[in-house]
Every structure is written in C-alpha cells, then in structure tokens.
Amino acid sequence: MKVILLGAPGAGKGTIAKLLSDYDGSVQISTGDILRKSVKEGADLGKKAKAYMDSGDLVPDSLIMDIMENRIQEPDCERGFLLDGFPRTVPQAEALKKLLEKLGITLDYAINLEVPREVILDRLTTRRTCSNSECQAIYNIKSDPPTDDGKCKKCDSPVIQRDDETEEAILNRLEIYNEKTFPLIGFYEKEGLLKNILSLNSKETVEEIKKNLQTGM
Ligand code: ADP
Ligand code: ZN
C-alpha cells in the first residue's frame, strides 16, 4: 500500500505504520526516525536538524524534501510505503505531490488518525523510546513498559525519554501541529485521498485499514 499517515504527535502513527508494514511488507518511512539517526551519527543533516528537534520545532521543509526525494526512490519503496510524520506542512505536501507525479507514483490514501487531546497528552508524557538509533522501539511506562531495569525488550539498550518529550516541548509540538500540520487534512480532502479513522486502539485501527483497503474504502 502507498499511504500517508496523518495525525497529531502521539496519535500512534509509528505504531500503526509498524503493524501495517508487518502485514504487507510496505516500508515504514519515518522522517523523525531518519532525523534522530542522523543526529546520533553526527551526520551533517543531524547537525542542522538537532536544535529544531530538541525544542519541538519543525525542521525546514528544504531539508526534509532532500531526505524524502532520495528515500522514496530507494528500491524497497516499490512494494509500498507508509509515510509516518511526513508531510508535515502544506509546502511539503505540495512538493510531495509534484515528486510523486514526476515519479509516476499514485497514493492510495491519506489516513487521518483522530485521537482526543487528553489521550494524546497522556500518551506523550508516558512515552519512552529505545536509545539505539537502529531500533527506536517505543514503550509506554503504563501500558507497555520496558524491562524492570529500563532496557529495550528487543535490543537491550537503555530506554529513554526523548529530549522533545519534556512537557514544554510537547505543548510546543501540539501547537505547531495545529498551526502547520492540521491544514493537511483539508489539503488531502480536496485531493480526494482523505480517510478519517477514530483511533483509540492501534490493533483495531489496523484491522479497519486492512478491511478498507480490501474493499476500496
Ligand atoms: P512525533 O512524535 O511528533 O510524531 P517525529 O518522530 O515524527 O515526532 O519527529 C520528531 C521531530 O523531527 C519533530 O518534532 C520535528 O522537529 C522533526 N521532523 C520530523 N518529521 C518532520 C517533517 N516532515 N518536517 C519537519 N520536521 C520534521
Ligand atoms: Zn531497542
């Protein structure tokens, strides 16, 4: 499938992308994961992006488009892709549209994961992430904790709270989402690609997406 996952920070885009990827082999492309990996590796891109990321601000569109233009042409995308955290602004969505037209790629849907604000806030403050940049598994201290000594169940690296998951950065991210990313819902509605799903449980959401894909939403 070729799908964009839209939704506020903490809406579950990453979790749902992983489950969908297990289902049909479509590759998950998370711009956040790509950026965090480059920060860890001390790559040029990471150096440019780090300050924006730590305060919860968006990285400039031009940097993101450079990443995506290359990433989407890699061979593993031929089977399908799940865009998680991209596009994040109307200019990115417009640039993506042009890029896909140029490459002759058609999207199936832009799926908007709707989650109430209280649920989002609770999830974000209880979220923890594996510090291994190759893994980045996501945990929740209440519902899906790491091991008793705070290690990742998959790779045994320490599980940490991300720099952008302090309360201040979280509130900033939500505000930026409302201002810059929320308008994408209207953008994809006009494009005829939008599918809204009320998403409180990732597994149920994934079942609904699979069912819809089979029947053509
Ligand atoms: P979230 O948990 O908010 O979905 P991500 O892991 O997707 O976070 O992204 C983390 C940070 O990386 C963002 O706060 C932002 O600074 C940067 N980032 C990721 N994707 C984009 C994008 N498409 N455009 C601009 N900045 C981005
Ligand atoms: Zn791990």
Side-chain angles (χ1 to χ4, degrees):
M1 65 185 94
K2 296 192 168 90
V3 162
I4 296 174
L5 292 165
L6 295 173
K13 298 184 293 291
T15 309
I16 286 166
K18 284 202 177 74
L19 293 168
L20 289 172
S21 168
D22 292 343
Y23 167 63
D24 82 342
S26 298
V27 56
Q28 174 190 10
I29 304 180
S30 156
T31 40
D33 286 353
I34 295 172
L35 290 167
R36 276 187 291 279
K37 187 158 176 256
S38 320
V39 170
K40 257 264 154 86
E41 289 168 347
D44 245 17
L45 167 70
K47 286 183 189 140
K48 289 182 193 151
K50 187 174 186 327
Y52 298 103
M53 295 172 72
D54 285 350
S55 53
D57 290 329
L58 293 182
V59 170
D61 290 336
S62 59
L63 277 186
I64 298 290
M65 291 316 301
D66 286 347
I67 298 175
M68 286 309 297
E69 184 152 2
N70 292 315
R71 183 64 191 88
I72 217 151
Q73 295 187 62
E74 281 177 29
D76 61 348
C77 290
E78 276 165 29
R79 297 197 54 173
F81 50 75
L82 305 149
L83 302 184
D84 158 15
F86 169 86
R88 203 78 144 226
T89 63
V90 171
Q92 288 180 19
E94 281 164 348
L96 175 66
K97 186 180 170 191
K98 283 208 189 105
L99 177 63
L100 294 177
E101 274 166 8
K102 186 176 94 184
L103 299 172
I105 297 171
T106 318
L107 289 174
D108 297 311
Y109 300 107
I111 297 172
N112 177 36
L113 304 171
E114 296 177 297
V115 181
R117 188 181 163 93
E118 317 81 77
V119 178
I120 294 267
L121 277 174
D122 185 59
R123 277 189 197 165
L124 287 176
T125 47
T126 53
R127 185 150 91 173
R128 299 293 181 272
T129 307
C130 172
S131 59
N132 171 2
S133 59
E134 298 294 331
C135 174
Q136 304 199 21
I138 293 168
Y139 295 91
N140 181 295
I141 50 175
K142 289 190 203 156
S143 61
D144 179 19
T147 63
D148 289 341
D149 58 348
K151 298 278 174 60
C152 176
K153 288 182 191 162
K154 290 187 189 141
C155 76
D156 209 39
S157 305
V159 167
I160 54 159
Q161 184 165 26
R162 278 168 28 187
D163 287 338
D164 63 356
E165 289 183 344
T166 61
E167 196 167 325
E168 196 190 350
I170 288 169
L171 292 175
N172 188 32
R173 280 159 67 204
L174 288 173
E175 210 169 287
I176 289 176
Y177 168 79
N178 286 333
E179 187 190 326
K180 301 265 171 65
T181 310
F182 185 76
L184 292 185
I185 294 170
F187 180 94
Y188 286 110
E189 186 159 34
K190 270 198 211 124
E191 297 283 310
L193 288 170
L194 187 71
K195 171 77 189 166
N196 288 306
I197 297 187
L198 175 66
S199 180
L200 292 171
N201 173 305
S202 305
K203 290 210 175 92
E204 283 171 16
T205 301
V206 165
E207 288 312 311
E208 191 176 340
I209 294 172
K210 285 192 215 166
K211 204 174 68 198
N212 279 315
L213 279 167
Q214 281 155 10
T215 57
M217 298 211 185

PDB file of all heavy atoms in Angstrom, residues 100-136:
ATOM      1  N   LEU A 100       5.765  12.850  -6.573  1.00  0.00           N
ATOM      2  CA  LEU A 100       5.090  11.591  -6.926  1.00  0.00           C
ATOM      3  C   LEU A 100       4.618  11.629  -8.380  1.00  0.00           C
ATOM      4  O   LEU A 100       4.713  10.618  -9.088  1.00  0.00           O
ATOM      5  CB  LEU A 100       3.908  11.325  -5.980  1.00  0.00           C
ATOM      6  CG  LEU A 100       4.282  11.056  -4.522  1.00  0.00           C
ATOM      7  CD1 LEU A 100       3.029  10.878  -3.673  1.00  0.00           C
ATOM      8  CD2 LEU A 100       5.184   9.826  -4.373  1.00  0.00           C
ATOM      9  N   GLU A 101       4.152  12.782  -8.826  1.00  0.00           N
ATOM     10  CA  GLU A 101       3.737  12.899 -10.237  1.00  0.00           C
ATOM     11  C   GLU A 101       4.923  12.638 -11.153  1.00  0.00           C
ATOM     12  O   GLU A 101       4.830  11.894 -12.125  1.00  0.00           O
ATOM     13  CB  GLU A 101       3.158  14.296 -10.520  1.00  0.00           C
ATOM     14  CG  GLU A 101       1.670  14.377 -10.196  1.00  0.00           C
ATOM     15  CD  GLU A 101       1.143  15.822 -10.144  1.00  0.00           C
ATOM     16  OE1 GLU A 101       1.885  16.772 -10.498  1.00  0.00           O
ATOM     17  OE2 GLU A 101      -0.033  15.982  -9.715  1.00  0.00           O
ATOM     18  N   LYS A 102       6.065  13.236 -10.786  1.00  0.00           N
ATOM     19  CA  LYS A 102       7.280  13.085 -11.593  1.00  0.00           C
ATOM     20  C   LYS A 102       7.694  11.607 -11.664  1.00  0.00           C
ATOM     21  O   LYS A 102       8.143  11.117 -12.695  1.00  0.00           O
ATOM     22  CB  LYS A 102       8.402  13.924 -10.961  1.00  0.00           C
ATOM     23  CG  LYS A 102       9.685  13.992 -11.771  1.00  0.00           C
ATOM     24  CD  LYS A 102      10.700  14.937 -11.108  1.00  0.00           C
ATOM     25  CE  LYS A 102      11.646  14.152 -10.205  1.00  0.00           C
ATOM     26  NZ  LYS A 102      12.581  15.021  -9.459  1.00  0.00           N
ATOM     27  N   LEU A 103       7.515  10.900 -10.546  1.00  0.00           N
ATOM     28  CA  LEU A 103       7.957   9.502 -10.489  1.00  0.00           C
ATOM     29  C   LEU A 103       6.862   8.534 -10.941  1.00  0.00           C
ATOM     30  O   LEU A 103       7.080   7.322 -10.994  1.00  0.00           O
ATOM     31  CB  LEU A 103       8.382   9.151  -9.053  1.00  0.00           C
ATOM     32  CG  LEU A 103       9.543   9.965  -8.468  1.00  0.00           C
ATOM     33  CD1 LEU A 103       9.726   9.658  -6.982  1.00  0.00           C
ATOM     34  CD2 LEU A 103      10.843   9.684  -9.228  1.00  0.00           C
ATOM     35  N   GLY A 104       5.683   9.057 -11.246  1.00  0.00           N
ATOM     36  CA  GLY A 104       4.573   8.197 -11.680  1.00  0.00           C
ATOM     37  C   GLY A 104       4.035   7.309 -10.563  1.00  0.00           C
ATOM     38  O   GLY A 104       3.605   6.185 -10.801  1.00  0.00           O
ATOM     39  N   ILE A 105       4.055   7.794  -9.343  1.00  0.00           N
ATOM     40  CA  ILE A 105       3.565   7.009  -8.203  1.00  0.00           C
ATOM     41  C   ILE A 105       2.208   7.558  -7.762  1.00  0.00           C
ATOM     42  O   ILE A 105       2.026   8.772  -7.649  1.00  0.00           O
ATOM     43  CB  ILE A 105       4.561   7.103  -7.018  1.00  0.00           C
ATOM     44  CG1 ILE A 105       5.904   6.485  -7.411  1.00  0.00           C
ATOM     45  CG2 ILE A 105       3.990   6.435  -5.765  1.00  0.00           C
ATOM     46  CD1 ILE A 105       7.009   6.713  -6.393  1.00  0.00           C
ATOM     47  N   THR A 106       1.235   6.651  -7.531  1.00  0.00           N
ATOM     48  CA  THR A 106      -0.092   7.072  -7.075  1.00  0.00           C
ATOM     49  C   THR A 106      -0.295   6.650  -5.623  1.00  0.00           C
ATOM     50  O   THR A 106      -0.052   5.495  -5.271  1.00  0.00           O
ATOM     51  CB  THR A 106      -1.190   6.369  -7.916  1.00  0.00           C
ATOM     52  OG1 THR A 106      -0.777   6.383  -9.269  1.00  0.00           O
ATOM     53  CG2 THR A 106      -2.523   7.079  -7.789  1.00  0.00           C
ATOM     54  N   LEU A 107      -0.780   7.570  -4.814  1.00  0.00           N
ATOM     55  CA  LEU A 107      -1.077   7.242  -3.409  1.00  0.00           C
ATOM     56  C   LEU A 107      -2.427   6.539  -3.324  1.00  0.00           C
ATOM     57  O   LEU A 107      -3.335   6.844  -4.093  1.00  0.00           O
ATOM     58  CB  LEU A 107      -1.172   8.526  -2.587  1.00  0.00           C
ATOM     59  CG  LEU A 107       0.116   9.287  -2.307  1.00  0.00           C
ATOM     60  CD1 LEU A 107      -0.220  10.596  -1.604  1.00  0.00           C
ATOM     61  CD2 LEU A 107       1.048   8.446  -1.433  1.00  0.00           C
ATOM     62  N   ASP A 108      -2.548   5.630  -2.344  1.00  0.00           N
ATOM     63  CA  ASP A 108      -3.862   5.040  -2.079  1.00  0.00           C
ATOM     64  C   ASP A 108      -4.697   5.978  -1.213  1.00  0.00           C
ATOM     65  O   ASP A 108      -5.821   6.308  -1.567  1.00  0.00           O
ATOM     66  CB  ASP A 108      -3.721   3.693  -1.358  1.00  0.00           C
ATOM     67  CG  ASP A 108      -2.999   2.677  -2.212  1.00  0.00           C
ATOM     68  OD1 ASP A 108      -3.389   2.527  -3.384  1.00  0.00           O
ATOM     69  OD2 ASP A 108      -2.033   2.050  -1.724  1.00  0.00           O
ATOM     70  N   TYR A 109      -4.145   6.354  -0.055  1.00  0.00           N
ATOM     71  CA  TYR A 109      -4.906   7.167   0.879  1.00  0.00           C
ATOM     72  C   TYR A 109      -4.001   8.029   1.743  1.00  0.00           C
ATOM     73  O   TYR A 109      -2.837   7.703   1.939  1.00  0.00           O
ATOM     74  CB  TYR A 109      -5.681   6.272   1.871  1.00  0.00           C
ATOM     75  CG  TYR A 109      -6.658   5.359   1.206  1.00  0.00           C
ATOM     76  CD1 TYR A 109      -6.385   4.000   1.123  1.00  0.00           C
ATOM     77  CD2 TYR A 109      -7.830   5.858   0.663  1.00  0.00           C
ATOM     78  CE1 TYR A 109      -7.274   3.151   0.493  1.00  0.00           C
ATOM     79  CE2 TYR A 109      -8.720   5.014   0.036  1.00  0.00           C
ATOM     80  CZ  TYR A 109      -8.438   3.671  -0.057  1.00  0.00           C
ATOM     81  OH  TYR A 109      -9.303   2.838  -0.678  1.00  0.00           O
ATOM     82  N   ALA A 110      -4.600   9.082   2.297  1.00  0.00           N
ATOM     83  CA  ALA A 110      -4.009   9.788   3.427  1.00  0.00           C
ATOM     84  C   ALA A 110      -4.939   9.469   4.592  1.00  0.00           C
ATOM     85  O   ALA A 110      -6.105   9.869   4.594  1.00  0.00           O
ATOM     86  CB  ALA A 110      -3.959  11.280   3.160  1.00  0.00           C
ATOM     87  N   ILE A 111      -4.438   8.699   5.539  1.00  0.00           N
ATOM     88  CA  ILE A 111      -5.278   8.260   6.651  1.00  0.00           C
ATOM     89  C   ILE A 111      -5.059   9.179   7.842  1.00  0.00           C
ATOM     90  O   ILE A 111      -3.935   9.318   8.322  1.00  0.00           O
ATOM     91  CB  ILE A 111      -4.938   6.804   7.029  1.00  0.00           C
ATOM     92  CG1 ILE A 111      -5.252   5.891   5.830  1.00  0.00           C
ATOM     93  CG2 ILE A 111      -5.720   6.364   8.270  1.00  0.00           C
ATOM     94  CD1 ILE A 111      -4.781   4.471   6.000  1.00  0.00           C
ATOM     95  N   ASN A 112      -6.128   9.814   8.274  1.00  0.00           N
ATOM     96  CA  ASN A 112      -6.033  10.744   9.405  1.00  0.00           C
ATOM     97  C   ASN A 112      -6.458  10.028  10.676  1.00  0.00           C
ATOM     98  O   ASN A 112      -7.621   9.661  10.829  1.00  0.00           O
ATOM     99  CB  ASN A 112      -6.920  11.960   9.142  1.00  0.00           C
ATOM    100  CG  ASN A 112      -6.913  12.912  10.316  1.00  0.00           C
ATOM    101  OD1 ASN A 112      -5.888  13.084  10.984  1.00  0.00           O
ATOM    102  ND2 ASN A 112      -8.052  13.522  10.591  1.00  0.00           N
ATOM    103  N   LEU A 113      -5.518   9.837  11.594  1.00  0.00           N
ATOM    104  CA  LEU A 113      -5.813   9.168  12.860  1.00  0.00           C
ATOM    105  C   LEU A 113      -6.328  10.201  13.849  1.00  0.00           C
ATOM    106  O   LEU A 113      -5.591  11.093  14.262  1.00  0.00           O
ATOM    107  CB  LEU A 113      -4.547   8.499  13.403  1.00  0.00           C
ATOM    108  CG  LEU A 113      -3.886   7.519  12.439  1.00  0.00           C
ATOM    109  CD1 LEU A 113      -2.532   7.089  12.975  1.00  0.00           C
ATOM    110  CD2 LEU A 113      -4.785   6.305  12.195  1.00  0.00           C
ATOM    111  N   GLU A 114      -7.598  10.085  14.192  1.00  0.00           N
ATOM    112  CA  GLU A 114      -8.212  11.057  15.108  1.00  0.00           C
ATOM    113  C   GLU A 114      -8.151  10.505  16.525  1.00  0.00           C
ATOM    114  O   GLU A 114      -8.649   9.411  16.784  1.00  0.00           O
ATOM    115  CB  GLU A 114      -9.672  11.278  14.725  1.00  0.00           C
ATOM    116  CG  GLU A 114      -9.832  11.900  13.349  1.00  0.00           C
ATOM    117  CD  GLU A 114     -11.293  12.051  12.965  1.00  0.00           C
ATOM    118  OE1 GLU A 114     -11.992  11.030  12.841  1.00  0.00           O
ATOM    119  OE2 GLU A 114     -11.723  13.196  12.799  1.00  0.00           O
ATOM    120  N   VAL A 115      -7.520  11.276  17.416  1.00  0.00           N
ATOM    121  CA  VAL A 115      -7.382  10.859  18.808  1.00  0.00           C
ATOM    122  C   VAL A 115      -7.675  12.077  19.701  1.00  0.00           C
ATOM    123  O   VAL A 115      -7.123  13.150  19.455  1.00  0.00           O
ATOM    124  CB  VAL A 115      -5.949  10.342  19.082  1.00  0.00           C
ATOM    125  CG1 VAL A 115      -5.792   9.885  20.518  1.00  0.00           C
ATOM    126  CG2 VAL A 115      -5.587   9.210  18.129  1.00  0.00           C
ATOM    127  N   PRO A 116      -8.532  11.927  20.734  1.00  0.00           N
ATOM    128  CA  PRO A 116      -8.831  13.059  21.609  1.00  0.00           C
ATOM    129  C   PRO A 116      -7.579  13.612  22.295  1.00  0.00           C
ATOM    130  O   PRO A 116      -6.658  12.866  22.619  1.00  0.00           O
ATOM    131  CB  PRO A 116      -9.786  12.472  22.661  1.00  0.00           C
ATOM    132  CG  PRO A 116     -10.326  11.225  22.058  1.00  0.00           C
ATOM    133  CD  PRO A 116      -9.279  10.714  21.098  1.00  0.00           C
ATOM    134  N   ARG A 117      -7.582  14.928  22.513  1.00  0.00           N
ATOM    135  CA  ARG A 117      -6.414  15.614  23.059  1.00  0.00           C
ATOM    136  C   ARG A 117      -5.941  15.055  24.413  1.00  0.00           C
ATOM    137  O   ARG A 117      -4.745  14.933  24.653  1.00  0.00           O
ATOM    138  CB  ARG A 117      -6.728  17.123  23.177  1.00  0.00           C
ATOM    139  CG  ARG A 117      -5.510  17.944  23.540  1.00  0.00           C
ATOM    140  CD  ARG A 117      -5.862  19.425  23.667  1.00  0.00           C
ATOM    141  NE  ARG A 117      -4.807  20.136  24.394  1.00  0.00           N
ATOM    142  CZ  ARG A 117      -3.780  20.751  23.804  1.00  0.00           C
ATOM    143  NH1 ARG A 117      -3.655  20.756  22.505  1.00  0.00           N
ATOM    144  NH2 ARG A 117      -2.864  21.351  24.535  1.00  0.00           N
ATOM    145  N   GLU A 118      -6.891  14.694  25.316  1.00  0.00           N
ATOM    146  CA  GLU A 118      -6.469  14.168  26.633  1.00  0.00           C
ATOM    147  C   GLU A 118      -5.680  12.869  26.463  1.00  0.00           C
ATOM    148  O   GLU A 118      -4.714  12.611  27.179  1.00  0.00           O
ATOM    149  CB  GLU A 118      -7.641  13.814  27.567  1.00  0.00           C
ATOM    150  CG  GLU A 118      -8.805  14.768  27.637  1.00  0.00           C
ATOM    151  CD  GLU A 118      -9.772  14.574  26.474  1.00  0.00           C
ATOM    152  OE1 GLU A 118     -10.573  13.607  26.472  1.00  0.00           O
ATOM    153  OE2 GLU A 118      -9.701  15.411  25.545  1.00  0.00           O
ATOM    154  N   VAL A 119      -6.129  12.051  25.510  1.00  0.00           N
ATOM    155  CA  VAL A 119      -5.447  10.775  25.275  1.00  0.00           C
ATOM    156  C   VAL A 119      -4.037  11.036  24.749  1.00  0.00           C
ATOM    157  O   VAL A 119      -3.059  10.430  25.182  1.00  0.00           O
ATOM    158  CB  VAL A 119      -6.260   9.913  24.265  1.00  0.00           C
ATOM    159  CG1 VAL A 119      -5.564   8.605  23.969  1.00  0.00           C
ATOM    160  CG2 VAL A 119      -7.671   9.681  24.790  1.00  0.00           C
ATOM    161  N   ILE A 120      -3.938  12.001  23.836  1.00  0.00           N
ATOM    162  CA  ILE A 120      -2.640  12.371  23.250  1.00  0.00           C
ATOM    163  C   ILE A 120      -1.666  12.832  24.341  1.00  0.00           C
ATOM    164  O   ILE A 120      -0.522  12.393  24.394  1.00  0.00           O
ATOM    165  CB  ILE A 120      -2.849  13.543  22.260  1.00  0.00           C
ATOM    166  CG1 ILE A 120      -3.673  13.093  21.065  1.00  0.00           C
ATOM    167  CG2 ILE A 120      -1.544  14.204  21.882  1.00  0.00           C
ATOM    168  CD1 ILE A 120      -2.902  12.623  19.896  1.00  0.00           C
ATOM    169  N   LEU A 121      -2.149  13.725  25.211  1.00  0.00           N
ATOM    170  CA  LEU A 121      -1.266  14.271  26.252  1.00  0.00           C
ATOM    171  C   LEU A 121      -0.789  13.166  27.187  1.00  0.00           C
ATOM    172  O   LEU A 121       0.384  13.088  27.529  1.00  0.00           O
ATOM    173  CB  LEU A 121      -2.014  15.334  27.063  1.00  0.00           C
ATOM    174  CG  LEU A 121      -2.032  16.718  26.420  1.00  0.00           C
ATOM    175  CD1 LEU A 121      -2.923  17.664  27.218  1.00  0.00           C
ATOM    176  CD2 LEU A 121      -0.613  17.284  26.316  1.00  0.00           C
ATOM    177  N   ASP A 122      -1.706  12.296  27.572  1.00  0.00           N
ATOM    178  CA  ASP A 122      -1.339  11.207  28.460  1.00  0.00           C
ATOM    179  C   ASP A 122      -0.304  10.292  27.801  1.00  0.00           C
ATOM    180  O   ASP A 122       0.701   9.934  28.396  1.00  0.00           O
ATOM    181  CB  ASP A 122      -2.593  10.408  28.841  1.00  0.00           C
ATOM    182  CG  ASP A 122      -2.272   9.341  29.867  1.00  0.00           C
ATOM    183  OD1 ASP A 122      -1.779   9.722  30.946  1.00  0.00           O
ATOM    184  OD2 ASP A 122      -2.467   8.144  29.586  1.00  0.00           O
ATOM    185  N   ARG A 123      -0.527   9.988  26.535  1.00  0.00           N
ATOM    186  CA  ARG A 123       0.411   9.100  25.833  1.00  0.00           C
ATOM    187  C   ARG A 123       1.794   9.698  25.700  1.00  0.00           C
ATOM    188  O   ARG A 123       2.801   9.018  25.853  1.00  0.00           O
ATOM    189  CB  ARG A 123      -0.091   8.863  24.408  1.00  0.00           C
ATOM    190  CG  ARG A 123      -1.112   7.790  24.321  1.00  0.00           C
ATOM    191  CD  ARG A 123      -1.340   7.527  22.847  1.00  0.00           C
ATOM    192  NE  ARG A 123      -2.568   6.798  22.649  1.00  0.00           N
ATOM    193  CZ  ARG A 123      -3.169   6.683  21.471  1.00  0.00           C
ATOM    194  NH1 ARG A 123      -2.653   7.266  20.405  1.00  0.00           N
ATOM    195  NH2 ARG A 123      -4.256   5.983  21.367  1.00  0.00           N
ATOM    196  N   LEU A 124       1.842  10.986  25.370  1.00  0.00           N
ATOM    197  CA  LEU A 124       3.148  11.597  25.103  1.00  0.00           C
ATOM    198  C   LEU A 124       3.991  11.694  26.361  1.00  0.00           C
ATOM    199  O   LEU A 124       5.204  11.512  26.313  1.00  0.00           O
ATOM    200  CB  LEU A 124       2.978  12.984  24.493  1.00  0.00           C
ATOM    201  CG  LEU A 124       2.513  13.003  23.044  1.00  0.00           C
ATOM    202  CD1 LEU A 124       2.285  14.436  22.600  1.00  0.00           C
ATOM    203  CD2 LEU A 124       3.527  12.341  22.119  1.00  0.00           C
ATOM    204  N   THR A 125       3.343  11.977  27.507  1.00  0.00           N
ATOM    205  CA  THR A 125       4.144  12.131  28.719  1.00  0.00           C
ATOM    206  C   THR A 125       4.573  10.776  29.281  1.00  0.00           C
ATOM    207  O   THR A 125       5.494  10.715  30.078  1.00  0.00           O
ATOM    208  CB  THR A 125       3.377  12.927  29.799  1.00  0.00           C
ATOM    209  OG1 THR A 125       2.058  12.382  29.887  1.00  0.00           O
ATOM    210  CG2 THR A 125       3.277  14.393  29.446  1.00  0.00           C
ATOM    211  N   THR A 126       3.922   9.703  28.873  1.00  0.00           N
ATOM    212  CA  THR A 126       4.294   8.382  29.400  1.00  0.00           C
ATOM    213  C   THR A 126       5.104   7.578  28.375  1.00  0.00           C
ATOM    214  O   THR A 126       5.434   6.431  28.599  1.00  0.00           O
ATOM    215  CB  THR A 126       3.040   7.568  29.779  1.00  0.00           C
ATOM    216  OG1 THR A 126       2.153   7.539  28.661  1.00  0.00           O
ATOM    217  CG2 THR A 126       2.313   8.190  30.963  1.00  0.00           C
ATOM    218  N   ARG A 127       5.428   8.212  27.251  1.00  0.00           N
ATOM    219  CA  ARG A 127       6.133   7.502  26.184  1.00  0.00           C
ATOM    220  C   ARG A 127       7.633   7.449  26.453  1.00  0.00           C
ATOM    221  O   ARG A 127       8.225   8.410  26.925  1.00  0.00           O
ATOM    222  CB  ARG A 127       5.881   8.215  24.860  1.00  0.00           C
ATOM    223  CG  ARG A 127       6.477   7.501  23.673  1.00  0.00           C
ATOM    224  CD  ARG A 127       5.663   7.763  22.451  1.00  0.00           C
ATOM    225  NE  ARG A 127       6.154   8.934  21.733  1.00  0.00           N
ATOM    226  CZ  ARG A 127       5.674   9.293  20.538  1.00  0.00           C
ATOM    227  NH1 ARG A 127       4.710   8.620  19.965  1.00  0.00           N
ATOM    228  NH2 ARG A 127       6.162  10.342  19.946  1.00  0.00           N
ATOM    229  N   ARG A 128       8.245   6.322  26.148  1.00  0.00           N
ATOM    230  CA  ARG A 128       9.699   6.177  26.229  1.00  0.00           C
ATOM    231  C   ARG A 128      10.174   5.507  24.949  1.00  0.00           C
ATOM    232  O   ARG A 128       9.429   4.748  24.326  1.00  0.00           O
ATOM    233  CB  ARG A 128      10.095   5.305  27.429  1.00  0.00           C
ATOM    234  CG  ARG A 128       9.661   5.880  28.794  1.00  0.00           C
ATOM    235  CD  ARG A 128      10.398   7.175  29.172  1.00  0.00           C
ATOM    236  NE  ARG A 128       9.995   7.676  30.471  1.00  0.00           N
ATOM    237  CZ  ARG A 128       8.967   8.494  30.694  1.00  0.00           C
ATOM    238  NH1 ARG A 128       8.219   8.920  29.681  1.00  0.00           N
ATOM    239  NH2 ARG A 128       8.675   8.888  31.911  1.00  0.00           N
ATOM    240  N   THR A 129      11.418   5.803  24.568  1.00  0.00           N
ATOM    241  CA  THR A 129      11.925   5.312  23.282  1.00  0.00           C
ATOM    242  C   THR A 129      13.268   4.617  23.477  1.00  0.00           C
ATOM    243  O   THR A 129      14.105   5.093  24.256  1.00  0.00           O
ATOM    244  CB  THR A 129      12.113   6.507  22.311  1.00  0.00           C
ATOM    245  OG1 THR A 129      10.892   7.245  22.253  1.00  0.00           O
ATOM    246  CG2 THR A 129      12.464   6.056  20.910  1.00  0.00           C
ATOM    247  N   CYS A 130      13.493   3.534  22.782  1.00  0.00           N
ATOM    248  CA  CYS A 130      14.789   2.840  22.834  1.00  0.00           C
ATOM    249  C   CYS A 130      15.868   3.780  22.298  1.00  0.00           C
ATOM    250  O   CYS A 130      15.699   4.400  21.252  1.00  0.00           O
ATOM    251  CB  CYS A 130      14.727   1.562  21.998  1.00  0.00           C
ATOM    252  SG  CYS A 130      16.341   0.787  21.825  1.00  0.00           S
ATOM    253  N   SER A 131      16.989   3.875  23.037  1.00  0.00           N
ATOM    254  CA  SER A 131      18.040   4.829  22.665  1.00  0.00           C
ATOM    255  C   SER A 131      18.904   4.345  21.500  1.00  0.00           C
ATOM    256  O   SER A 131      19.699   5.110  20.961  1.00  0.00           O
ATOM    257  CB  SER A 131      18.940   5.107  23.875  1.00  0.00           C
ATOM    258  OG  SER A 131      19.524   3.892  24.313  1.00  0.00           O
ATOM    259  N   ASN A 132      18.745   3.076  21.109  1.00  0.00           N
ATOM    260  CA  ASN A 132      19.519   2.552  19.985  1.00  0.00           C
ATOM    261  C   ASN A 132      18.912   3.071  18.677  1.00  0.00           C
ATOM    262  O   ASN A 132      17.774   2.756  18.349  1.00  0.00           O
ATOM    263  CB  ASN A 132      19.457   1.013  20.055  1.00  0.00           C
ATOM    264  CG  ASN A 132      20.024   0.351  18.827  1.00  0.00           C
ATOM    265  OD1 ASN A 132      20.522   1.009  17.905  1.00  0.00           O
ATOM    266  ND2 ASN A 132      19.937  -0.975  18.805  1.00  0.00           N
ATOM    267  N   SER A 133      19.684   3.867  17.922  1.00  0.00           N
ATOM    268  CA  SER A 133      19.121   4.543  16.750  1.00  0.00           C
ATOM    269  C   SER A 133      18.688   3.550  15.664  1.00  0.00           C
ATOM    270  O   SER A 133      17.876   3.875  14.812  1.00  0.00           O
ATOM    271  CB  SER A 133      20.112   5.558  16.183  1.00  0.00           C
ATOM    272  OG  SER A 133      21.300   4.904  15.824  1.00  0.00           O
ATOM    273  N   GLU A 134      19.223   2.324  15.703  1.00  0.00           N
ATOM    274  CA  GLU A 134      18.803   1.315  14.721  1.00  0.00           C
ATOM    275  C   GLU A 134      17.466   0.699  15.107  1.00  0.00           C
ATOM    276  O   GLU A 134      16.831   0.020  14.305  1.00  0.00           O
ATOM    277  CB  GLU A 134      19.824   0.161  14.644  1.00  0.00           C
ATOM    278  CG  GLU A 134      21.209   0.577  14.194  1.00  0.00           C
ATOM    279  CD  GLU A 134      21.218   1.052  12.747  1.00  0.00           C
ATOM    280  OE1 GLU A 134      20.371   0.585  11.959  1.00  0.00           O
ATOM    281  OE2 GLU A 134      22.075   1.910  12.426  1.00  0.00           O
ATOM    282  N   CYS A 135      17.067   0.866  16.389  1.00  0.00           N
ATOM    283  CA  CYS A 135      15.884   0.161  16.899  1.00  0.00           C
ATOM    284  C   CYS A 135      14.725   1.139  17.115  1.00  0.00           C
ATOM    285  O   CYS A 135      13.679   1.020  16.489  1.00  0.00           O
ATOM    286  CB  CYS A 135      16.268  -0.562  18.187  1.00  0.00           C
ATOM    287  SG  CYS A 135      14.889  -1.335  19.051  1.00  0.00           S
ATOM    288  N   GLN A 136      14.916   2.108  18.014  1.00  0.00           N
ATOM    289  CA  GLN A 136      13.907   3.126  18.300  1.00  0.00           C
ATOM    290  C   GLN A 136      12.538   2.557  18.668  1.00  0.00           C
ATOM    291  O   GLN A 136      11.502   3.162  18.369  1.00  0.00           O
ATOM    292  CB  GLN A 136      13.767   4.124  17.132  1.00  0.00           C
ATOM    293  CG  GLN A 136      15.094   4.776  16.770  1.00  0.00           C
ATOM    294  CD  GLN A 136      14.927   6.072  15.960  1.00  0.00           C
ATOM    295  OE1 GLN A 136      13.890   6.698  15.967  1.00  0.00           O
ATOM    296  NE2 GLN A 136      15.968   6.484  15.275  1.00  0.00           N
TER     297      GLN A 136
END
